[in-house]
Amino acid sequence: MSARLTVEEQRLWHAWKIAADTVRQRVAEDVKTSSGLSDQDFSIVTRLVELGDGTLRQNELSASLRWDRTRLSHQLTRMENRGLVTRSAVDGGVLVRITDEGARLVQVARPIHADAVRKHLLHRTEGIDQTALVRVLERLALDSP
């Protein structure tokens, strides 16, 4: 195999990176503008609501987000300072709990997020076999090739 990408391989790689970054950034901007929640904030508070009914152990939250512990800890500190979550020591770990304010902002952000995903991703991929696209993306997301 060649040490360099072909022109078409480079084109695919750059298109993939730019598309993924652009769509995610646009969705995140819409959510932030409407709710004040950053992309990272939204990821955490929605996980707390969806996976843990408002509460999760920090290591479970880290695993569900695929974030390392340090990154999550720093983000949670920022969110605690803004009154979005609380943390408390429990037997064998740390429990993360969404606050009333965090839960309120989830309710504000969710419809904005849904509209943004539709606008920036789904409407722009109309006419493409979305089932096939999902299969490809899920294959790419697997931990091992």
Side-chain angles (χ1 to χ4, degrees):
M1 181 152 278
S2 172
R4 297 183 63 175
L5 295 175
T6 67
V7 171
E8 282 304 306
E9 289 170 334
Q10 286 179 346
R11 183 173 175 225
L12 175 61
W13 174 241
H14 289 291
W16 162 259
K17 288 189 321 179
I18 291 167
D21 290 347
T22 301
V23 170
R24 188 173 178 106
Q25 180 182 2
R26 287 177 180 164
V27 171
E29 286 172 0
D30 288 359
V31 170
K32 176 115 175 138
T33 298
S34 300
S35 69
L37 293 173
S38 69
D39 187 41
Q40 297 84 0
D41 295 339
F42 184 75
S43 294
I44 289 170
V45 293
T46 54
R47 285 292 189 336
L48 289 170
V49 170
E50 293 166 2
L51 300 178
D53 198 27
T55 305
L56 278 175
R57 286 184 172 267
Q58 190 165 320
N59 62 345
E60 294 171 323
L61 184 57
S62 176
S64 76
L65 293 165
R66 295 184 174 192
W67 289 8
D68 67 58
R69 289 184 224 174
T70 302
R71 176 184 181 194
L72 179 60
S73 182
H74 288 302
Q75 183 64 35
L76 290 172
T77 297
R78 289 188 288 275
M79 293 174 72
E80 276 184 302
N81 292 337
R82 292 177 29 235
L84 301 175
V85 298
T86 61
R87 286 185 283 185
S88 56
V90 294
D91 207 19
V94 175
L95 196 64
V96 181
R97 177 173 283 117
I98 193 168
T99 64
D100 290 343
E101 177 63 4
R104 182 187 74 76
L105 289 176
V106 168
Q107 295 305 311
V108 170
R110 273 189 164 155
I112 304 304
H113 178 264
D115 287 345
V117 169
R118 288 181 185 108
K119 176 182 175 185
H120 300 298
L121 176 64
L122 301 178
H123 293 283
R124 301 197 63 192
T125 58
E126 285 178 357
I128 296 172
D129 181 350
Q130 290 188 348
T131 302
L133 180 58
V134 168
R135 278 196 301 270
V136 168
L137 296 174
E138 287 174 343
R139 183 184 315 164
L140 291 173
L142 291 176
D143 286 336
S144 60

